[in-house]
Amino acid sequence: MPPKKRTKTTSSVTAKPSTKAKGDAAAAARGRNVRGRRGGLQEMPKMPLDVLIEIFAFLHPRDLLNLARTTKDFRGFLMSRNAAKFWERARMQVEDIPDKPAHLSEPAYANLLFFTHCHSCLKGGAHITAYWEISARYCASCRQEVFTEKCDDAFRPIWLEEFEVKSDDIVVYVRTQSNYACSLRYHKVELDEVKREWKALTTKPQKKRYIKDRKKFVTQSHEIAYELGRWQTQLKKRAAADNDSVKANRYKAVLAKLRQEGFGDELARMDQARLNGLARLDGVSRATKLTDKGWASIRDSVVEYTEKFKSLRLRKQRTEMLDSRLSSLKHVVYALQQAKHADSKERLYAGVADVAHMAQVRTIIEDTPADVTKDIIKTKLKEVLPELIDIWVEERRSEVIDLLRKELTVGSEVAPESPEMLQLALASFRCTKCNEHRLRWPEVTEHRCGYWFNEQSKDLYDQRLKNYVGRTQVDTPFPGVKYRGIHCGTQYTRDVISLCGEDPNTVTYAEMNACPVRLACRRCATYAKQTVFDWKGAIAHDSEHRDCGLDPIPGRWMVLSEENAAKARALEEAILAKPVNPQDPGYSDRVYHYHCGWCAFDGGMPSMYSHLEQTHGRARTKIKLDRDFYMTQPYKVENLMYSQVFAESKYEKEQVAAGKAFFASF
């Protein structure tokens, strides 16, 4: 029978507490607030049985076992056989739980299922593995001690050979994973028990019956393990589904909070990848309900993520706008360049980057509203670009004249401020990077070899401009001649002009081109042949023999006689008069160069065709000379002059007959 209920008496309620009781009460008051009365469970075992049954009917097996571990009274009450129905009712609270194995008690079954501690060292943690076959849990370190792989070796001398039974039939085994390999292991406790029980058997019928019972037990153990494994998997799935549901509700609550703070438009613009990133944030992906306090703790990180997306979105929109408008700028610049070429070949090309950095142009590209069409942007650019480019050209002209003025001596007949300075023969510039000598105005400012966007910029406009025109060298910004290593009027140039009988400070480029004097290099001359140059070819040839830091060698050039110079000029004219044919096997030896009519690209005919196709979209069949590109003045003309002594030599006769050399007396 359940114990009788105790009746509270007046004396027990009104009794004066002792000093110790006062101290305990004061200590309890100073401690944390706990719902209910402290020590209230100590009277619970003395409650009527029907009351306990009603209470235990709502408890989980985990709660019952925890309750049994609180006091000796609860332990004695719940661990008795009479409490089995409480455990059975508690198991009914767990969905789809497998039936209890016959060899386990109710508390042992509850401990196995709902408490993840090692059954050997009692440590808990995620590293504890459940082995349902043997109804135990072990950690990684204890597993090495409680399991063995040598079951057959231990039992073969005792009974395996006699009864022809495999060890796996009568001993429960488990599968363990170690170093990516799966192996069968046996519980040492069970092995010792089987050995002890087998040793106690005296007759053969007893041993056969024992083997039969063990086979049945092993089969049931594996069946139970399968059911428990499946139940545990389903339990994890349900727990994961519950967590996902809670997380989904929390995520929806976070979205609602963001919309309340004015981020609804940004959320509507987010793609699924961005929304998934928001859902994965630490404060958003928690499996707890979102409260006002919880929102306050995660608000900053969530808003920061949303603001970051907004800035990225705006940056992307601005990037697309800049790319589109820079493309329009390129087409306008190319069209203006081609129109100028149609009027005059003497024009200066302002690259796309040069134009893009002009203040008015940048204002049109950056500050014009995003909904303005391409056609309107092009119209605005066409209105301002001609005047801006003319101003830019004059600035470059002044820059080059300043460079040339430093080379001219005091007292020159040409005034330093006069633009006619650029017509001087001395106004031939040299690039120290590629050692190019044929640079004159305006080609000197179009020569941008080796210059790219090397400086890193955080400005998006500069970044998009670099990405857009960085692959086209002629469209990179011109930094100025003083930063490009451009020089003019070296001593070599002065020496050659003086040998031709002209004053370097006053003679013009046109006068030097008409000069009949031809020169031969003594450094290359032999008894059999000499190389003949005009004045431009001689200057270029000097660079091939130049030693850095050394002064020019006196007497390195000799002037040809009038007769030999006339023969050289005649051969030059014959070479230049030949029709241009890129398919000619000897075309690579020709001296012609071509200039693009749409930009500042310069090169041979094959490269010119490729450039016009790839950069300007001109179909190869529609490309025309003197419209899409034009021929520039030849870089240099050099001829071979063979000695008359070799007039009957086969090789020399063939070269002369091919129009590549002439015979002369020297």
Side-chain angles (χ1 to χ4, degrees):
M1 285 182 67
K4 293 182 178 181
K5 296 182 179 179
R6 290 190 176 186
T7 305
K8 295 182 179 179
T9 61
T10 305
S11 59
S12 63
V13 175
T14 60
K16 184 178 180 180
S18 62
T19 305
K20 183 177 180 181
K22 287 183 179 181
D24 293 342
R30 289 192 300 270
R32 64 184 179 88
N33 294 327
V34 181
R35 297 182 63 183
R37 183 169 59 87
R38 286 182 177 272
L41 294 180
Q42 63 186 4
E43 299 296 330
M44 193 173 177
K46 301 175 183 179
M47 290 181 178
L49 185 59
D50 55 344
V51 176
L52 292 177
I53 292 175
E54 291 297 328
I55 294 174
F56 295 157
F58 296 97
L59 294 182
H60 190 277
R62 184 192 306 105
D63 301 327
L64 276 183
L65 193 55
N66 282 330
L67 193 61
R69 291 169 175 170
T70 56
T71 64
K72 291 183 179 180
D73 291 338
F74 270 126
R75 180 178 180 80
F77 179 69
L78 291 174
M79 293 299 178
S80 64
R81 294 182 179 273
N82 295 330
K85 54 186 175 182
F86 301 148
W87 294 93
E88 293 176 1
R89 292 284 300 274
R91 275 197 291 116
M92 293 175 62
Q93 305 297 323
V94 183
E95 184 179 359
D96 297 332
I97 188 173
D99 294 335
K100 179 184 71 66
H103 64 280
L104 289 180
S105 65
E106 289 286 358
Y109 191 44
N111 181 61
L112 173 65
L113 295 184
F114 305 111
F115 290 88
T116 57
H117 62 273
C118 177
H119 289 185
S120 177
C121 65
L122 302 182
K123 292 181 180 179
H127 63 292
I128 308 300
T129 304
Y131 300 98
W132 305 119
E133 295 86 351
I134 60 174
S135 303
R137 295 176 183 265
Y138 292 110
C139 62
S141 59
C142 293
R143 182 175 61 193
Q144 305 299 326
E145 300 178 0
V146 301
F147 288 118
T148 181
E149 296 180 356
K150 300 180 180 179
C151 181
D152 290 340
D153 294 341
F155 282 91
R156 186 174 289 109
I158 302 176
W159 48 264
L160 288 180
E161 294 180 356
E162 181 181 358
F163 294 93
E164 297 182 355
V165 179
K166 297 186 297 183
S167 59
D168 294 348
D169 295 336
I170 50 89
V171 181
V172 179
Y173 62 86
V174 297
R175 297 182 184 275
T176 60
Q177 192 78 17
S178 177
N179 296 330
Y180 305 100
C182 184
S183 59
L184 300 182
R185 295 179 182 269
Y186 304 90
H187 199 201
K188 289 182 180 180
V189 175
E190 184 183 5
L191 287 179
D192 294 340
E193 183 180 357
V194 171
K195 287 181 181 180
R196 185 172 58 255
E197 291 174 351
W198 182 266
K199 190 175 181 181
L201 301 176
T202 57
T203 64
K204 192 170 184 178
Q206 290 177 341
K207 294 180 179 180
K208 288 184 177 181
R209 192 182 313 110
Y210 181 77
I211 291 174
K212 181 179 179 181
D213 293 341
R214 287 299 302 178
K215 284 184 176 180
K216 182 179 179 180
F217 176 78
V218 170
T219 302
Q220 291 176 349
S221 296
H222 288 296
E223 290 175 353
I224 292 171
Y226 173 78
E227 293 296 330
L228 289 176
R230 187 175 63 175
W231 170 78
Q232 186 184 43
T233 301
Q234 294 175 350
L235 196 65
K236 290 180 179 179
K237 288 182 178 179
R238 285 195 294 269
D242 293 340
N243 282 343
D244 292 342
S245 176
V246 175
K247 288 181 179 180
N249 292 333
R250 183 182 179 92
Y251 173 62
K252 292 178 181 178
V254 169
L255 295 180
K257 292 288 186 181
L258 287 173
R259 291 189 181 95
Q260 291 176 6
E261 299 203 13
F263 290 101
D265 184 54
E266 294 304 321
L267 293 176
R269 293 173 181 272
M270 283 188 180
D271 56 15
Q272 194 58 46
R274 299 289 184 182
L275 292 173
N276 292 341
L278 176 61
R280 288 193 296 268
L281 290 180
D282 180 56
V284 180
S285 62
R286 298 174 187 171
T288 57
K289 183 180 179 180
L290 183 67
T291 61
D292 292 340
K293 184 178 180 180
W295 168 246
S297 65
I298 68 173
R299 178 189 176 280
D300 291 344
S301 62
V302 174
V303 170
E304 180 183 0
Y305 177 88
T306 311
E307 289 285 1
K308 181 180 179 182
F309 165 76
K310 180 179 180 180
S311 63
L312 291 175
R313 178 180 62 81
L314 295 177
R315 182 183 177 89
K316 181 180 179 181
Q317 290 179 352
R318 187 162 178 259
T319 298
E320 293 174 350
M321 182 193 72
L322 290 177
D323 287 348
S324 175
R325 293 182 177 180
L326 287 173
S327 175
S328 299
L329 174 65
K330 182 193 73 171
H331 291 302
V332 172
V333 171
Y334 286 167
L336 290 175
Q337 169 75 5
Q338 209 278 335
K340 281 189 176 183
H341 162 60
D343 297 335
S344 172
K345 295 181 181 179
E346 292 214 4
R347 83 283 178 275
L348 175 59
Y349 175 70
V352 175
D354 293 318
V355 175
H357 282 128
M358 296 175 181
Q360 285 183 261
V361 174
R362 181 162 183 169
T363 300
I364 293 174
I365 293 177
E366 285 193 302
D367 299 341
T368 305
D371 56 350
V372 175
T373 63
K374 278 187 175 183
D375 293 336
I376 296 177
I377 294 295
K378 288 183 177 181
T379 301
K380 290 184 176 182
L381 291 172
K382 290 177 181 178
E383 292 174 354
V384 301
L385 276 182
E387 182 179 356
L388 293 176
I389 291 177
D390 289 341
I391 295 174
W392 184 86
V393 169
E394 290 305 317
E395 291 175 351
R396 303 288 78 75
R397 186 192 302 273
S398 299
E399 187 178 11
V400 174
I401 289 177
D402 289 340
L403 182 65
L404 180 59
R405 184 184 296 114
K406 297 178 182 179
E407 183 62 29
L408 296 176
T409 60
V410 179
S412 172
E413 295 182 7
V414 180
E417 295 80 6
S418 173
E420 283 73 18
M421 292 174 59
L422 297 177
Q423 304 302 322
L424 295 177
L426 201 62
S428 296
F429 300 90
R430 179 175 67 88
C431 174
T432 57
K433 292 187 177 295
C434 66
N435 208 27
E436 177 62 71
H437 281 264
R438 69 186 182 97
L439 301 176
R440 292 189 59 81
W441 174 264
E443 290 84 2
V444 63
T445 54
E446 295 178 347
H447 184 73
R448 307 179 187 192
C449 73
Y451 182 80
W452 303 93
F453 286 91
N454 295 323
E455 296 182 0
Q456 298 294 329
S457 175
K458 294 183 179 180
D459 183 48
L460 181 61
Y461 186 86
D462 289 339
Q463 291 177 2
R464 300 318 303 165
L465 185 60
K466 175 182 178 180
N467 181 73
Y468 195 74
V469 304
R471 297 181 296 271
T472 307
Q473 188 172 346
V474 296
D475 282 327
T476 55
F478 182 72
V481 292
K482 63 180 180 179
Y483 300 110
R484 293 293 301 118
I486 301 294
H487 301 280
C488 70
T490 62
Q491 187 59 45
Y492 293 90
T493 303
R494 289 180 173 274
D495 289 348
V496 171
I497 294 176
S498 298
L499 280 174
C500 293
E502 303 290 348
D503 182 1
N505 291 329
T506 59
V507 67
T508 65
Y509 184 75
E511 292 172 344
M512 285 303 302
N513 284 338
C515 179
V517 177
R518 292 298 179 264
L519 305 174
C521 179
R522 285 194 172 95
R523 293 163 295 190
C524 302
T526 65
Y527 174 76
K529 66 178 180 178
Q530 293 180 359
T531 306
V532 181
F533 300 92
D534 64 356
W535 75 283
K536 290 184 296 183
I539 294 173
H541 187 72
D542 261 338
S543 66
E544 299 174 4
H545 291 279
R546 180 178 301 154
D547 293 326
C548 184
L550 298 180
D551 295 330
I553 301 174
R556 63 189 182 279
W557 291 104
M558 55 183 173
V559 180
L560 268 63
S561 65
E562 284 292 337
E563 180 184 358
N564 291 340
K567 292 180 179 179
R569 292 194 302 270
L571 185 58
E572 293 170 7
E573 294 174 359
I575 293 175
L576 295 177
K578 289 182 179 180
V580 178
N581 182 11
Q583 283 71 38
D584 186 355
Y587 175 76
S588 59
D589 299 330
R590 299 291 293 274
V591 294
Y592 293 104
H593 288 263
Y594 299 89
H595 203 79
C596 179
W598 297 83
C599 67
F601 181 78
D602 191 20
M605 183 173 286
S607 60
M608 184 60 64
Y609 272 93
S610 299
H611 166 76
L612 288 169
E613 283 184 315
Q614 298 173 7
T615 304
H616 303 291
R618 308 294 295 172
R620 180 176 286 266
T621 56
K622 296 182 179 181
I623 295 175
K624 291 185 178 180
L625 184 65
D626 289 331
R627 186 191 68 181
D628 297 300
F629 70 105
Y630 58 91
M631 185 186 303
T632 60
Q633 193 166 2
Y635 172 33
K636 63 178 180 178
V637 176
E638 62 182 46
N639 298 318
L640 287 178
M641 183 173 62
Y642 291 113
S643 174
Q644 194 68 40
V645 176
F646 295 92
E648 299 302 324
S649 175
K650 180 181 179 181
Y651 176 78
E652 281 74 7
K653 287 177 65 176
E654 291 177 352
Q655 292 295 306
V656 172
K660 298 180 179 180
F662 63 94
F663 291 112
S665 299
F666 55 86

